[in-house]
Amino acid sequence: MTGVFEDPETWRRERRALALAGLTVGFVPTMGALHEGHLSLVRRSRSENDRTLVSIFVNPTQFDDQADLARYPRVLDVDLAALRTERIDYVLLPRADDLYRDGFRYRVTERDFSTALEGAHRPGHFDGVLTVVMKLLQIAQPDRAYFGEKDWQQLSLVRGMVDAFFLPVTIVGCPTVRDQDGLALSSRNSTLRPADRQRAPRFHEVLSSAPTPGEAARELNASGFEVDYVEERDGRRLGAVRIGGVRLIDNLPMEGTR
Ligand code: AMP
């Protein structure tokens, strides 16, 4: 690994040197506790850019639930080892005080889609997401930035923000990586109790097999999930459930539903 940066300014000096050398930079923003889903983004970036930068930052402003923030897994040493194995060039580990030197007085708000689905159940979530992505893109100055379809609404809102603010970056969406049993990989999966982990694949199974969103919600309830929503939008079926206090989200194209 060439460099681990905490200070945004130090990275930006490196970034200028890369630009002068004519090298492209791919960027993968994460909150850490890296799994194969994250690593699929990292590998895609490596294959499409001369250098790849990965950031790890558990962004407090996107958590509407403080217990969820406190419980969020933090395994920095394991993550850095995984990124070394992937031969990643650069890691950015920003400090909250640096990123939010304004005290979150300035923020990016989308006023329509961000209030639906996840936004309807997690007030302020997408203000936090869009604001931190804006800050990270300004710092990283990548040619391309990689986001997972697992967080489909997030991907869509980030694309919209990049378009609305003429940000000079290409957003690359990457397919959802799943465990063999169908459960979408998520850092939160490691916080599931064993019995809940066993039942969790039923979420994807029902989402992809129920004839209607209403029927999916009923079947999920019957299987012991608390359902936040199952909705269809723009050719996708999206859902969020809670099991044993852990929140899971997933989505799939409607051709994928039987
Ligand atoms: P997070 O660390 O949860 O903020 O995720 C960082 C990036 O990895 C986001 O763009 C996510 O959409 C993406 N990601 C998370 N889980 C998966 C997965 N199972 N498959 C593909 N991408 C994922």
Side-chain angles (χ1 to χ4, degrees), residues 107-110 130 134 138 159-168:
R107 55 184 77 181
V108 180
T109 301
E110 191 276 352
L130 293 177
M134 174 66 101
Q138 296 297 342
R159 283 192 196 285
M161 176 179 80
V162 163
D163 186 50
F165 291 105
F166 304 93
L167 302 184

Side-chain angles (χ1 to χ4, degrees), residues 32 42 57 68 72 80 104 117 184 191 243 245 258:
V42 161
F57 178 65
D68 187 27
Y72 202 85
L80 291 177
F104 199 34
L117 303 170
T191 66
I243 180 163
R258 269 171 260 141

Side-chain angles (χ1 to χ4, degrees), residues 71-148:
R71 198 170 47 213
Y72 202 85
R74 292 165 172 85
V75 289
L76 184 57
D77 291 347
V78 180
D79 288 344
L80 291 177
L83 294 174
R84 271 190 209 102
T85 306
E86 295 295 327
R87 296 154 43 102
I88 283 309
D89 308 289
Y90 302 108
V91 179
L92 181 68
L93 305 173
R95 286 177 294 256
D97 286 351
D98 271 341
L99 276 193
Y100 290 104
R101 52 184 71 170
D102 62 318
F104 199 34
R105 286 188 301 123
Y106 292 86
R107 55 184 77 181
V108 180
T109 301
E110 191 276 352
R111 284 154 44 87
D112 180 20
F113 188 32
S114 73
T115 61
L117 303 170
E118 285 299 285
H121 292 269
R122 304 184 67 188
H125 171 64
F126 285 118
D127 280 10
V129 169
L130 293 177
T131 301
V132 83
V133 170
M134 174 66 101
K135 286 172 189 269
L136 291 170
L137 289 175
Q138 296 297 342
I139 292 168
Q141 303 273 321
D143 296 284
R144 300 181 188 82
Y146 295 79
F147 291 84

